[in-house]
Amino acid sequence: MTDLRNTDVRVAVLGVGMMGADHVARITERIKGATVTVVNDYVTAKAEELAATIPGCRAINDPLDAIADPDVDVVILATPGPTHEKQLLACLEAGKPVMCEKPMTTDAATSLEIVRREAELGRKLIQVGFMRRFDAEYERLKNLIDDDVFGRLLVAHCVHRNPAVPPSFDSAMIVKDSIVHEVDVTRFLFDEEIATVQIITPGSNPRAPQGLKDPQIAIFTTESGRHIDVECFVTTGVAYEVRTEIVGEYGSAFIGLDQGGVIRKQRNPTQDGTGAGSRSSGPNPNSDGRKVAGIWGGDITPSFVERFGGAYDTEIQRWINAVRAGTNVDGPGAWDGYAAAAVCAAGVRALETGEIVAVDMVDRASIEGA
Ligand code: ISE
């Protein structure tokens, strides 16, 4: 492989929908030491249009050809989850570092297979895109926890709210696509695996699409019996809100408050209270030009792109730095992708049965020899 210490890392971005296009923009505009040389999307015209705007960039129709291309050193997968397994295996085969947006794969068995294949290679090549670990507030919280400021962590309360989700979103996706972030945050902050999951479904939001169980309350217990609860509500009609409170032996901390707001409401409520006015006119810029969707007296961001924009920049910059340094990964890896898939599988069973479900995971040391 090319020595990347003194040259730009050549990146292929596969999948240039909302997330992939956002990564292309950040690499092109803000990330140091990397260039996008190849883009790919199953909507060929979208990839071609994007490639035409970036000097030296080509669109390649087949994702596996894009991975194998000699002008590509590393790969970002922002493709749909069901395609990840094959694409990750191709990256491992080619020995190319890969940043894979969640889910790593769509089930625990295939995720485990990926972990095994990477372990057989004896080289870490896979990073999984759990961006919250790179958010300044989560990082600071993690550092305070590691510095023992709160003593032993006992409990966490999490809130994860989205203004809306696409029509294809079903109740299981609330677990696999949204609550999965709290799964990773829990494992990151508590530094242990989740042992059981329960999902409570209170009466659904009458404005949620028919049949969508929203909100959902998830309860995790860790292997040592610590408690985490999550309110996940993806059709609030308000804005993007992610908050975490941790409680320890000596104190507690709360992040994601948008500076301590109290009242959360739609920015431009309509007479019928649906907020359709604000949605149809789209998020409004505030005085400094940042897009906002809700108000409390300050502004609340409309989506994860704005809320975690800084975290994505840090994530990708640190990943590129790790690639150039030859370590390839600086953040959550294949094991974290597998653990998240295993907890989500238990979560979906918990949603279907109403029971407390044990997470079924193999022993890490049996694979990684850790
Ligand atoms: C989406 O895929 C994300 O990853 C967002 O961070 C999350 O808030 C949202 O619920 C998911 O659908």
Side-chain angles (χ1 to χ4, degrees), residues 19 101-102 131-132 160-162 164-166 169 173-174 177-181 232 234 240-242 304-305 308 312:
M19 200 64 250
E101 287 299 342
K102 55 93 186 152
M131 76 298 188
R132 289 200 199 166
H160 181 163
R161 298 190 190 136
N162 293 181
V165 281
F169 222 80
M173 283 183 75
I174 295 183
D177 210 56
S178 302
I179 294 175
V180 65
H181 284 292
C232 189
V234 300
Y240 191 81
E241 301 172 75
V242 167
F304 53 92
V305 171
F308 288 112
Y312 288 118

Side-chain angles (χ1 to χ4, degrees), residues 1-10 73 323-326:
M1 190 173 158
T2 333
D3 183 344
L4 296 169
R5 278 169 301 185
N6 301 314
T7 175
D8 269 7
V9 175
R10 298 164 304 169
D73 301 308
V323 168
R324 297 184 82 195

